[in-house]
Amino acid sequence: MLNQFLVVVDGQRLSKMLIREFISQSNKNQIISNLLKHYKVESVKVKQKSMKDHAHFNVDTGTLELSTKYKIIKKSQVKDFLITILHEINHAIDSKKYGWKKFKEMYEMEMNLMVAKDKDPYKDNKYEIQAEDFGQKNWKKWYEIFKKQDLF
Ligand SMILES: [Zn+2]
């Protein structure tokens, strides 16, 4: 009852609340394009796809896949979103540096090496460890930058 009353008398406050709890699709797209530009990987192929994770770099095709599942994201998902995007961008940086076909070979070789050593082809993969480090080390910095730019 009290909530309904607030809606009626204070529509403005409510809309502000909604804006702060969610990141709009256009702000989300802005964040992604700023990151791609900053890390100079705008030339990497991008594909929209319905999937569980926010983003995925497809090593087999050299394509950065972005999820269409989360048109808007909740504030509680921002950290995970930024880490995932940065992680995948790190793969895109390598893919650009070596050329995607060469990078695919390098990545597969690393997977085979891990299997031969009885290790996990993903979790123990040096490219995965490096990409995850990159995401963990940089997400906070971007969080502050995008917050200052009023993107969330
Ligand atoms: Zn990865």
Side-chain angles (χ1 to χ4, degrees):
M1 198 62 194
L2 186 66
N3 284 341
Q4 273 179 334
F5 184 68
L6 266 174
V7 173
V8 175
V9 297
D10 202 354
Q12 215 179 0
R13 184 193 293 175
L14 182 79
S15 67
K16 270 185 187 163
M17 249 166 59
L18 289 174
I19 287 165
R20 286 199 184 120
E21 279 173 22
F22 292 94
I23 295 155
S24 71
Q25 191 173 12
S26 70
N27 284 0
K28 190 188 149 188
N29 290 341
Q30 188 66 51
I31 287 170
I32 293 168
S33 93
N34 285 357
L35 289 172
L36 294 179
K37 211 177 278 176
H38 177 86
Y39 291 109
K40 300 186 171 65
V41 288
E42 314 108 289
S43 62
V44 162
K45 284 174 277 177
V46 175
K47 195 181 158 193
Q48 306 275 340
K49 196 180 169 184
S50 179
M51 57 183 181
K52 193 178 151 278
D53 294 331
H54 291 292
H56 174 70
F57 187 79
N58 188 327
V59 177
D60 291 332
T61 59
T63 311
L64 177 65
E65 297 168 347
L66 299 171
S67 180
T68 53
K69 230 185 123 183
Y70 315 95
K71 286 197 168 52
I72 51 168
I73 51 173
K74 289 178 197 157
K75 275 213 107 170
S76 58
Q77 295 175 316
V78 169
K79 180 182 174 187
D80 185 48
F81 167 69
L82 288 174
I83 290 172
T84 305
I85 292 284
L86 288 162
H87 174 123
E88 304 310 329
I89 281 176
N90 188 264
H91 291 316
I93 292 169
D94 275 345
S95 181
K96 190 192 165 195
K97 185 172 159 194
Y98 302 108
W100 73 267
K101 283 182 182 167
K102 179 76 189 158
F103 181 58
K104 183 190 173 205
E105 281 176 24
M106 291 162 70
Y107 191 95
E108 282 169 354
M109 211 183 287
E110 174 71 7
M111 281 177 89
N112 292 336
L113 189 67
M114 289 306 113
V115 172
K117 284 184 175 176
D118 217 15
K119 290 185 174 176
D120 190 284
Y122 293 100
K123 271 190 247 162
D124 299 316
N125 186 311
K126 66 179 177 187
Y127 301 110
E128 290 305 327
I129 294 167
Q130 171 199 299
E132 194 53 28
D133 271 0
F134 185 78
Q136 296 287 346
K137 271 181 195 145
N138 290 294
W139 77 270
K140 190 89 190 169
K141 173 183 90 184
W142 288 108
Y143 183 94
E144 298 303 330
I145 291 169
F146 294 136
K147 206 173 166 186
K148 268 187 200 135
Q149 292 175 354
D150 234 1
L151 289 166
F152 51 77

